[in-house]
Amino acid sequence: MGSQITMYISLIATSGVLCIFLGFYAFFKKQEIPGARTFIIYMTVQAIYIFAYAFQMSSTTLAAIKGWTIVEYIGISFAPVIGLMLILRYIDRPISRMTAALLFVIPVITLGMVATNDFHHLFYKSLELRAGSPLHATDVVIGEWYIVHGAFTFGCLLAGVVLLAREWKATKKAYRKQLATLICGQFIPMISAFIYLMGLTPEGMDPVPLVVCITSSMYIWAIVTTRMLTIVPIAKESIFESMREGVIVLDSAERLIDFNGAVSRMLPGLSIGMIGRKLDEGWTRLTGSPFPDIQSTDS
């Protein structure tokens, strides 16, 4: 196997490692991360997809390629839906259990179709090794359900981009880095998948596992610089800013995650840079004295 193929597979594996890292980070911080379980599942199915594709690329027989393709579709089928649910959680638009269950109908059917394709050929009409290909690529003739799956996947990714983009104006500047990161996390794979489906990639290579390396790196950057996972913007109407009373918003760990204009006028030292700090730490910085203990205790 040539050095170029080895480098390509290594880059794919790097994407998978980054997904695993993000999943473990969310697991160990689950008490601080709203929607941690959804994010962990999302990173898990992404990692399954990526590593299965890497093994598929290193396979030399059609039987092995078919086997890894089935494993690969555990990630491909479910990742778009779970990513969309993560976005709905982020923008505080919960959906019912029935709606969530309905969103998984097509992914479940897709996985079943791929696993049993040799009996009906509704997903791939044919799947054969490409003669003379250094990447052990396959020549594929797509079936009817492949089109359904592709449209559904593209629709989930596009819906995520649209939902996030609609939040841009209503989002404070302090949170726009987070929002931009999530938009790119949906938009870049969507465009890559479209290019792949159009047959515009060399040797028919799937570029999505490679771009996941980029999007995962962006997530890590956003976590470090904006505390993307531990500080989730709270959806609010313009009344929040027009209130005369000063309001600060804390999360379950008593970190400052938002404040309105009235409280910033009361406390001129309060700034966006203090978002993410513990209440005690922020109060000490503003006033020079510890935060007064006003919590009541039962006798």
Side-chain angles (χ1 to χ4, degrees):
M1 187 177 292
S3 59
Q4 290 183 339
I5 301 174
T6 302
M7 182 176 66
Y8 178 67
I9 294 176
S10 298
L11 287 173
I12 293 173
T14 301
S15 297
V17 170
L18 290 175
C19 288
I20 292 174
F21 169 80
L22 287 167
F24 273 109
Y25 175 86
F27 177 78
F28 288 113
K29 295 282 187 178
K30 59 181 179 292
Q31 299 299 327
E32 303 175 15
I33 298 174
R37 184 175 64 176
T38 304
F39 187 81
I40 292 168
I41 296 172
Y42 183 54
M43 288 296 108
T44 300
V45 296
Q46 291 264 51
I48 291 172
Y49 161 40
I50 291 166
F51 282 116
Y53 184 71
F55 284 118
Q56 177 192 321
M57 292 295 298
S58 62
S59 298
T60 58
T61 66
L62 185 60
I65 289 173
K66 286 182 176 180
W68 284 117
T69 298
I70 295 171
V71 179
E72 187 181 336
Y73 267 86
I74 295 174
I76 294 176
S77 301
F78 295 99
V81 175
I82 298 171
L84 180 59
M85 293 179 69
L86 185 67
I87 288 169
L88 290 169
R89 175 67 179 81
Y90 181 86
I91 64 176
D92 197 26
R93 293 191 182 182
I95 57 176
S96 66
R97 290 186 177 182
M98 178 62 72
T99 302
L102 290 174
L103 284 174
F104 282 97
V105 170
I106 289 181
V108 169
I109 295 175
T110 294
L111 183 58
M113 288 284 188
V114 175
T116 60
N117 187 72
D118 287 344
F119 298 101
H120 49 70
H121 300 287
L122 290 174
F123 199 83
Y124 295 125
K125 289 187 179 298
S126 67
L127 183 67
E128 299 177 355
L129 281 173
R130 183 177 303 166
S133 173
L135 297 177
H136 309 297
T138 54
D139 287 319
V140 174
V141 178
I142 63 175
E144 292 82 359
W145 192 261
Y146 187 99
I147 298 172
V148 174
H149 158 74
F152 179 76
T153 298
F154 188 82
C156 287
L157 293 170
L158 181 60
V161 171
V162 171
L163 287 170
L164 290 170
R166 290 178 62 184
E167 297 293 320
W168 187 266
K169 288 185 178 180
T171 301
K172 280 191 171 184
K173 290 183 179 180
Y175 298 126
R176 285 185 177 176
K177 286 183 180 179
Q178 299 183 32
L179 197 58
T181 300
L182 288 172
I183 290 173
C184 289
Q186 293 288 107
F187 184 74
I188 295 176
M190 180 181 72
I191 296 301
S192 301
F194 180 77
I195 293 172
Y196 173 66
L197 292 173
M198 294 294 292
L200 301 177
T201 56
E203 294 289 337
M205 293 186 298
D206 185 355
V208 176
L210 284 179
V211 303
V212 169
C213 186
I214 298 172
T215 56
S216 296
S217 299
M218 292 176 65
Y219 287 148
I220 293 171
W221 168 80
I223 288 168
V224 172
T225 60
T226 69
R227 300 179 179 91
M228 184 181 74
L229 295 178
T230 56
I231 302 177
V232 178
I234 295 177
K236 59 185 181 299
E237 303 296 332
S238 58
I239 190 173
F240 180 73
E241 289 297 334
S242 64
M243 291 175 65
R244 293 183 180 180
E245 296 81 7
V247 179
I248 61 173
V249 183
L250 306 175
D251 65 8
S252 58
E254 294 191 348
R255 290 185 301 253
L256 176 66
I257 62 172
D258 209 349
F259 57 89
N260 65 355
V263 78
S264 63
R265 289 189 291 272
M266 297 175 186
L267 301 170
L270 189 62
S271 66
I272 291 175
M274 296 183 66
I275 288 178
R277 296 180 182 274
K278 290 275 191 175
L279 178 61
D280 289 344
E281 180 186 353
W283 187 266
T284 302
R285 181 176 173 181
L286 286 171
T287 66
S289 59
F291 186 77
D293 185 6
I294 57 173
Q295 297 181 357
S296 61
T297 58
D298 296 329
S299 55

